Amino acid sequence: MAETATPPGIDIRPLDTVDEVHRASAVLAEVWGGDRGGMPPNLLRALAHSGNYAVGLYDGERMVGASVAFFAAPAARSMHSHITGVLPDHQSQGLGRVLKQHQREWALARDVGHITWTFDPLVARNAHFNLRVLGTRATEYLVNHYGPMDDGVNRGDETDRIMVSWALAAPPAPTPDDAAVVASVVVPHDIESLRRDSAVDAAAWRVRVRDELVAHLAAGLVIGGFDDERGYLLVRR
């Protein structure tokens, strides 16, 4: 992953105190539309205190983002990044990449070789960031992975997710050449706006993308990358 300079005034700090944990929980709740149950302070405190990755992203002294990951099997070599969020007024400034770079460096310093996480396959900007910018590899399609979620982002929708794996010391996985692409699955450019404007159309996209991807994966193809116009690019194993 190419080095990304931390913007002036931006800092990343561990969540060492109860006050910091409560502030981080509130920030993540704001990002996810007011759901304080997504990362409750008591769970966040337990994860931080037991040595997992739990940090706040600061602009000066104001916390504007947070990220939480915990060790996964095999515990000595893997982590799962559970949640990362940046407040709306600080989004689209490259701070997500700054957080991921920090998480990578933190993990490598502890001999962790892989980080996994999930993302909503309908969110094109996240697919672009995970598969094109970071060069992660998609490993699973998870149907309704979390079940119903009562937050401002996921409420009323099924929680399909794509699991990705980031090999921290390996070169980024390249976007496949056109000759290797067997099929593609398009996604909406802005599912967030579509959900606000037409829940019916958004739900139809969920089923369409799920059915197409699950069918391709069952046929032995794998998600090899993402293209902003064509969507997910399927290749042979």
Side-chain angles (χ1 to χ4, degrees):
M1 178 181 178
E3 290 294 314
T4 300
T6 302
I10 298 295
D11 191 21
I12 299 174
R13 308 172 203 162
L15 303 175
D16 289 334
T17 69
V18 171
D19 176 66
E20 290 166 344
V21 161
H22 278 264
R23 289 165 66 191
S25 179
V27 164
L28 293 170
E30 184 175 341
V31 173
W32 266 267
D35 176 30
R36 291 302 296 265
M39 181 48 69
N42 60 337
L43 177 58
L44 182 46
R45 178 66 166 165
L47 289 169
H49 190 258
S50 57
N52 292 282
Y53 181 82
V55 302
L57 175 73
Y58 290 83
D59 184 351
E61 291 305 310
R62 179 192 175 205
M63 190 185 296
V64 298
S67 184
V68 182
F70 47 81
F71 292 102
R77 290 290 297 158
S78 296
M79 290 196 330
H80 183 74
S81 183
H82 178 61
I83 191 168
T84 297
V86 176
L87 290 176
D89 63 355
H90 278 69
Q91 292 175 5
S92 302
Q93 299 177 27
L95 298 181
R97 188 167 185 174
V98 169
L99 273 169
K100 277 299 177 190
Q101 180 171 289
H102 182 272
Q103 190 178 81
R104 176 181 181 271
E105 293 169 353
W106 189 96
L108 286 172
R110 291 156 179 80
D111 296 323
V112 169
H114 287 82
I115 300 176
T116 61
W117 63 90
T118 65
F119 70 95
D120 186 337
L122 294 186
V123 182
R125 58 186 173 83
N126 286 348
H128 175 99
F129 178 69
N130 292 325
L131 299 177
R132 291 186 71 89
V133 176
L134 296 183
T136 65
R137 296 183 184 276
T139 59
E140 291 182 86
Y141 188 96
L142 304 166
V143 176
N144 203 22
H145 184 52
Y146 296 110
M149 296 179 70
D150 190 25
D151 63 69
V153 174
N154 297 289
R155 187 179 297 116
D157 193 8
E158 293 188 296
T159 52
D160 287 23
R161 296 292 184 265
I162 288 177
M163 177 79 77
V164 295
S165 178
W166 192 18
L168 303 182
T175 299
D177 294 333
D178 287 348
V181 176
V182 178
S184 60
V185 177
V186 69
V187 297
H189 288 293
D190 185 1
I191 189 62
E192 294 96 337
S193 295
L194 187 60
R195 284 170 177 153
R196 290 191 298 268
D197 298 339
S198 176
V200 172
D201 289 341
W205 271 106
R206 172 70 70 205
V207 173
R208 183 182 309 137
V209 170
R210 173 197 293 168
D211 287 350
E212 291 186 23
L213 280 177
V214 168
H216 288 313
L217 298 177
L221 302 181
V222 296
I223 298 172
F226 184 81
D227 179 84
D228 291 338
E229 296 303 321
R230 292 176 291 169
Y232 294 100
L233 307 177
L234 285 298
V235 300
R236 302 195 187 280
R237 292 182 187 275

